[in-house]
Amino acid sequence: MIPVTEIRTLPVSSSEPEDRTTGGTVLGPDEALELGIVDTTDEAQDLPVSVFWWRVSDIKGNSEIYNIRVWLEGTEELTGTDAWYMDITDTWTQGKTPVQVKTGTPGTAPLSEPDPNLTRRGGGNVTGITNDQTSGYIYITGTIGVNETTGEKTGLKLMIMFDYH
């Protein structure tokens, strides 16, 4: 049976959650990442940093989840010269800046399914549903180009795929 998973988020201004299985709020399976209103009249600007983590809430009798891949989809709705960045790390950085995300790993965010790039905290495959089995933190930001249309931007989604047995 397919394991049941969820993506959780907290404002990057928050303290690190003590329990990543209950902390934060769950991002719905079809919920897009909110980019808000973008004013592109003067110059390119960085979007505020968002932070997410991924967890298995029911392993459904499987022994292991592996080959975990995370990427962004939905950028085709944004027509400007925009850039997307991601930092995947075990370290919570309260108030992390766009520059810190841009210089993190992998830096430039994958926009299609990549090779495996996400593990549980501390590395390795996911074998359970406890706090120590949640993924590293996924920080995301973007730079909106000067030629992007002004207004609320929607459609950007955090995608996660995995193998299991």
Side-chain angles (χ1 to χ4, degrees), residues 42-136:
D42 293 324
E43 59 185 63
Q45 59 180 291
D46 291 328
L47 294 172
V49 174
S50 297
V51 60
F52 306 89
W53 64 95
W54 178 78
R55 69 175 291 266
V56 176
S57 56
D58 188 345
I59 203 161
K60 293 288 189 180
N62 294 288
S63 61
E64 182 176 53
I65 295 169
Y66 60 101
N67 289 336
I68 307 165
R69 290 109 43 214
V70 60
W71 71 97
L72 296 176
E73 267 189 5
T75 59
E76 63 277 355
E77 300 297 321
L78 301 165
T79 58
T81 308
D82 307 319
W84 304 100
Y85 304 97
M86 185 181 287
D87 183 17
I88 301 172
T89 177
D90 285 348
T91 305
W92 180 270
T93 304
Q94 187 174 5
K96 193 167 211 165
T97 67
V99 170
Q100 290 172 308
V101 174
K102 290 176 188 181
T103 58
T105 301
T108 301
L111 301 180
S112 61
E113 187 175 345
D115 290 333
N117 62 354
L118 186 66
T119 63
R120 68 175 169 80
R121 285 195 74 219
N125 298 331
V126 174
T127 58
I129 62 170
T130 57
N131 186 53
D132 64 336
Q133 295 290 313
T134 57
S135 80

Side-chain angles (χ1 to χ4, degrees), residues 18-39:
E18 288 185 32
D19 183 348
R20 290 177 303 278
T21 65
T22 60
T25 57
V26 176
L27 187 68
D30 294 320
E31 196 171 336
L33 307 179
E34 290 300 321
L35 303 179
I37 297 173
V38 178
D39 179 5

